[in-house]
C-alpha cells in the first residue's frame, strides 16, 4: 500500500509553527485542531432528522497562535484555495455578534465561530430538532470573553472535496479560542459543553457561511474516535461507535478535483424540496415518512418531490442496514448498500456529476472493491470506496488508466481518527 498522500499531523504542526514565527516573530502558544470527515453512508439525511454514518479523518485543520494584550486580531491562512487576502487584521466589536460578514469568504467561518463563542446559551436536551428549527434558546447569561489574538491557519484537507473542510476550520478555531480565553482547556469529548461547541459551529455555518447544513459535520468533527465510525441519529442526537474491520477492508478516498460549493443554490433547493415534500405528506420531516406515504401522495408530490423524498426515505433505511452489516462484519453487504446509495443520489436526488459518476463506475469494476459512492453534499468532490487491502493499488491503477478527464484524481487511504482537540505548544518539545 503506497504513502498516505496527505501531510501527516506532526508535519502539519511544524508547518504552522514555522509560518507563525516567520509572520509574527515569536513562537505560538496554542494549537487548536480538528479533523475533516467522510460520510460512509447516509447522505442528505441529517437535515431530514435521519441517520448518518461518518468517520473523522486523519487530515485536519490547525489554528496555531497566541493571545495579544491589545489591538486587533491578526489572522493569516496558508490554505492555497482560500480567496484573497490571506493576511489581515480584525477588530473585535463591543458586541462580538456584530462581526460583519463579507470578503474574504474563508474569514466568515472564523467570524462565525467568534460571534457564537461562549455566548451563554442554554440547551434543552429534550428539544427535538426539526427542519429549519434551532436546538437552542437564548438565555440571559452574560456572553463569555473574547480576547485579541494572532494566528496562522493551516490544513491538510482538500477544500471543496466534500470532506467538510469548513466544519474542520470552525472546530479548530473554537478549540483555539477555548485555549486562548480560559488558559485551561478541557478535552471536548465527554464534557458537558461538547454540544454547545457543536451548536456554536453549526450556527457559524448557517449564519456566516449561509449554508443550511445539518448537524453531522460539526458533530463528527468533535466526536470522532480512532478506528471507529459513528452512527448518529440526527433527531435525538443519540449515537454509537462501530469499529471498522480493517483486516478485511480499508477506506479509499478518490478526489475528483471538481470543487463544489454548498453555498450555491442547489443545496438549499434540495433542503427546501424535502421540507415541501414532508409537509405534503403531513409530517414535519421526512424521517417520519414511509414508502407507503410516497405511494399515497405520489400525485400531489409530483415527479421531482417524489424522487427527492424517495432518496431520503430509502437512504435512512440503508444507513441503518449498513450499521447492522458492520456490526456483523459483513463488508460485502455494506458495499452493496454503498452502491445503492450512489444510484439514489445520482438518479433520485440528482446531486452527483459526470466526473464523480465515472470514478464510481470505474472503482466498482475492480475485483476487491466492495462498494463505492459519492460522499458529501455533491456536485463534485470525493468518492468513498470500501476496498480489500490487497486491491487498493489495483483500484488506483485501473482508474488512472481509464479515467480520461482533464483534472486528474487524487487518492487517499484513510483511517477513522479522533475528534477536535488542542495542543499546548509551550510545553511541546521540538522534533
Amino acid at each position: 500500500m503506497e504513502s498516505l498522500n496527505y501531510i501527516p499531523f506532526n508535519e502539519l504542526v511544524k508547518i504552522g509553527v514555522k509560518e507563525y514565527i516567520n509572520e509574527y516573530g515569536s513562537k505560538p502558544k496554542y494549537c487548536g485542531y480538528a479533523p475533516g470527515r467522510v460520510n460512509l453512508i447516509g447522505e442528505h439525511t441529517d437535515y431530514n432528522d435521519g441517520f448518518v454514518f461518518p468517520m473523522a479523518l486523519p487530515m485536519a485543520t490547525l489554528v496555531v497562535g497566541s493571545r495579544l494584550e491589545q489591538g486587533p486580531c491578526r489572522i493569516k491562512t496558508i490554505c492555497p484555495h482560500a480567496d484573497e487576502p490571506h493576511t489581515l487584521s480584525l477588530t473585535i466589536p463591543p458586541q462580538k455578534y456584530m462581526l460583519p460578514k463579507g470578503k474574504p469568504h474563508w474569514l466568515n467561518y472564523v467570524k462565525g465561530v467568534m460571534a457564537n463563542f461562549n455566548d451563554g446559551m442554554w440547551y434543552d436536551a429534550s428539544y427535538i430538532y426539526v427542519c429549519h428549527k434551532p436546538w437552542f434558546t437564548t438565555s440571559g447569561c452574560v456572553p463569555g470573553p473574547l480576547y485579541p489574538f494572532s494566528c496562522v491557519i493551516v490544513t491538510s484537507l482538500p477544500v471543496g472535496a466534500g470532506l467538510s473542510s469548513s466544519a474542520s476550520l470552525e472546530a479548530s478555531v473554537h478549540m483555539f479560542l477555548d485555549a486562548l480565553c480560559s488558559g485551561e482547556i478541557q478535552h471536548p469529548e465527554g464534557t458537558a459543553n461538547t454540544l454547545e461547541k457543536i451548536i456554536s459551529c453549526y450556527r457559524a455555518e448557517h449564519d456566516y457561511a449561509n449554508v443550511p447544513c445539518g448537524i453531522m459535520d460539526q458533530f463528527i468533527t468533535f466526536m470522532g474516535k480512532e478506528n471507529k465510525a459513528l452512527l448518529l441519529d440526527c433527531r435525538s442526537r443519540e449515537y454509537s461507535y462501530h469499529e471498522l474491520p480493517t483486516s478485511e477492508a480499508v477506506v479509499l478516498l478518490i478526489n475528483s478535483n471538481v470543487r463544489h460549493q454548498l453555498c450555491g443554490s442547489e443545496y438549499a433547493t434540495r433542503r427546501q424540496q424535502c421540507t415541501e415534500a414532508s409537509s405534503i405528506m403531513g409530517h414535519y420531516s421526512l424521517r417520519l415518512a414511509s414508502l407507503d406515504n410516497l405511494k399515497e401522495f405520489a400525485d400531489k408530490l409530483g415527479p421531482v418531490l417524489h424522487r427527492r423524498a424517495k432518496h431520503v426515505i430509502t437512504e435512512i433505511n440503508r444507513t441503518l442496514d449498513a450499521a447492522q452489516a458492520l456490526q456483523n462484519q459483513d463488508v460485502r453487504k455494506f458495499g452493496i448498500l454503498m452502491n445503492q446509495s450512489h444510484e439514489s443520489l445520482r438518479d433520485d436526488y440528482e446531486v452527483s456529476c459526470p466526473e464523480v459518476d465515472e470514478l464510481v463506475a470505474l472503482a466498482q469494476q475492480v475485483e476487491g472493491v466492495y462498494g463505492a459512492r459519492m460522499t458529501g453534499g455533491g456536485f463534485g468532490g470525493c468518492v468513498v470506496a470500501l476496498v480489500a487491502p490487497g486491491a487498493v493499488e489495483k483500484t488506483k491503477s485501473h482508474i488512472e488508466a481509464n479515467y480520461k478527464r482533464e483534472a486528474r484524481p487524487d487518492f487517499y487511504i484513510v483511517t477513522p481518527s479522533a475528534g477536535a482537540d488542542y495542543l499546548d505548544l509551550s510545553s511541546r518539545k521540538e522534533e
Side-chain angles (χ1 to χ4, degrees):
M1 206 177 291
E2 70 166 29
S3 63
L4 297 173
N5 202 26
Y6 56 84
I7 303 171
F9 180 80
N10 286 336
E11 186 64 29
L12 197 64
V13 174
K14 291 180 183 178
I15 292 171
V17 169
K18 181 179 180 181
E19 191 66 35
Y20 184 92
I21 293 172
N22 290 341
E23 182 70 21
Y24 303 116
S26 60
K27 291 183 179 180
K29 186 173 182 181
Y30 299 116
C31 170
Y33 65 88
R37 67 95 187 96
V38 60
N39 193 20
L40 299 175
I41 194 167
E43 216 66 76
H44 290 276
T45 55
D46 57 344
Y47 55 82
N48 287 291
D49 288 355
F51 290 86
V52 293
F53 206 10
M55 67 180 223
L57 292 171
M59 301 123 94
T61 301
L62 276 62
V63 180
V64 299
S66 300
R67 178 172 163 176
L68 299 176
E69 293 304 318
Q70 59 183 0
C73 299
R74 301 163 66 191
I75 305 171
K76 178 176 183 177
T77 179
I78 58 173
C79 174
H81 295 296
D83 53 329
E84 296 284 354
H86 288 178
T87 303
L88 44 79
S89 296
L90 178 65
T91 300
I92 302 172
Q95 289 80 34
K96 61 180 185 289
Y97 61 82
M98 295 176 63
L99 281 164
K101 293 182 283 188
K103 297 295 181 81
H105 179 67
W106 63 267
L107 189 62
N108 288 328
Y109 295 95
V110 180
K111 289 177 179 178
V113 176
M114 292 172 65
N116 288 288
F117 179 74
N118 282 356
D119 62 355
M121 291 183 300
W122 289 96
Y123 298 94
D124 182 355
S126 65
Y127 194 82
I128 300 298
Y129 173 81
V130 296
C131 292
H132 306 290
K133 289 187 179 180
W135 282 0
F136 52 84
T137 55
T138 303
S139 75
C141 294
V142 178
L146 187 62
Y147 300 106
F149 59 86
S150 55
C151 75
V152 168
I153 301 168
V154 58
T155 187
S156 57
L157 283 160
V159 176
L163 303 180
S164 199
S165 58
S166 58
S168 174
L169 172 58
E170 293 154 7
S172 61
V173 170
H174 202 298
M175 292 308 299
F176 171 70
L177 294 179
D178 275 355
L180 197 74
C181 296
S182 69
E184 295 181 5
I185 322 170
Q186 292 187 353
H187 295 267
E189 186 193 341
T191 60
N193 64 349
T194 304
L195 182 59
E196 296 181 18
K197 298 177 192 292
I198 292 169
I199 298 298
S200 290
C201 294
Y202 170 82
R203 290 181 69 191
E205 189 102 5
H206 278 244
D207 299 343
Y208 275 77
N210 297 323
V211 178
C213 63
I215 200 63
M216 171 182 67
D217 293 351
Q218 290 78 16
F219 203 99
I220 185 62
T221 296
F222 279 100
M223 298 298 291
K225 270 194 175 184
E226 290 186 3
N227 303 317
K228 308 275 187 175
L230 182 145
L231 178 68
L232 172 65
D233 182 338
C234 296
R235 182 174 65 181
S236 69
R237 302 191 296 277
E238 295 177 342
Y239 61 94
S240 57
Y241 292 102
H242 299 258
E243 190 162 357
L244 295 182
T246 53
S247 62
E248 297 182 53
V250 298
V251 178
L252 176 66
L253 297 182
I254 308 163
N255 186 1
S256 69
N257 285 308
V258 176
R259 295 184 63 194
H260 75 164
Q261 290 186 325
L262 291 187
C263 55
S265 62
E266 288 297 328
Y267 184 90
T269 297
R270 294 302 184 280
R271 181 161 186 165
Q272 181 57 41
Q273 288 169 336
C274 290
T275 302
E276 187 177 348
S278 60
S279 178
I280 289 171
M281 291 187 284
H283 301 302
Y284 68 75
S285 81
L286 287 176
R287 165 70 175 271
L288 300 175
S290 66
L291 292 176
D292 287 339
N293 293 146
L294 278 183
K295 293 178 183 178
E296 180 183 353
F297 291 93
D299 291 340
K300 290 184 178 180
L301 287 169
V304 173
L305 294 185
H306 186 277
R307 290 198 301 272
R308 303 297 186 256
K310 178 187 173 187
H311 165 72
V312 173
I313 294 168
T314 57
E315 185 78 349
I316 289 172
N317 293 336
R318 276 189 293 270
T319 304
L320 292 172
D321 290 343
Q324 186 60 54
L326 200 59
Q327 193 76 15
N328 297 337
Q329 297 194 333
D330 188 348
V331 293
R332 294 186 184 279
K333 175 66 173 176
F334 197 104
I336 290 170
L337 293 164
M338 291 175 72
N339 293 338
Q340 293 172 353
S341 173
H342 183 77
E343 292 173 4
S344 181
L345 289 159
R346 180 192 65 204
D347 300 335
D348 290 333
Y349 220 63
E350 298 180 282
V351 290
S352 190
C353 67
E355 295 88 347
V356 168
D357 290 340
E358 187 175 339
L359 288 170
V360 168
L362 288 170
Q364 290 172 346
Q365 292 170 5
V366 180
E367 184 178 355
V369 174
Y370 301 113
R373 60 180 288 274
M374 62 152 278
T375 188
F379 312 107
C382 280
V383 170
V384 57
L386 197 63
V387 185
V392 171
E393 287 303 318
K394 182 170 56 174
T395 304
K396 182 175 180 291
S397 298
H398 179 72
I399 291 173
E400 288 179 331
N402 293 281
Y403 185 71
K404 304 303 182 183
R405 306 279 177 170
E406 182 178 352
R408 304 308 296 167
D410 292 319
F411 300 84
Y412 312 96
I413 302 163
V414 294
T415 55
S417 301
D421 212 329
Y422 75 97
L423 293 172
D424 184 344
L425 295 175
S426 64
S427 61
R428 183 179 173 88
K429 294 182 180 180
E430 297 290 338
E431 298 180 5

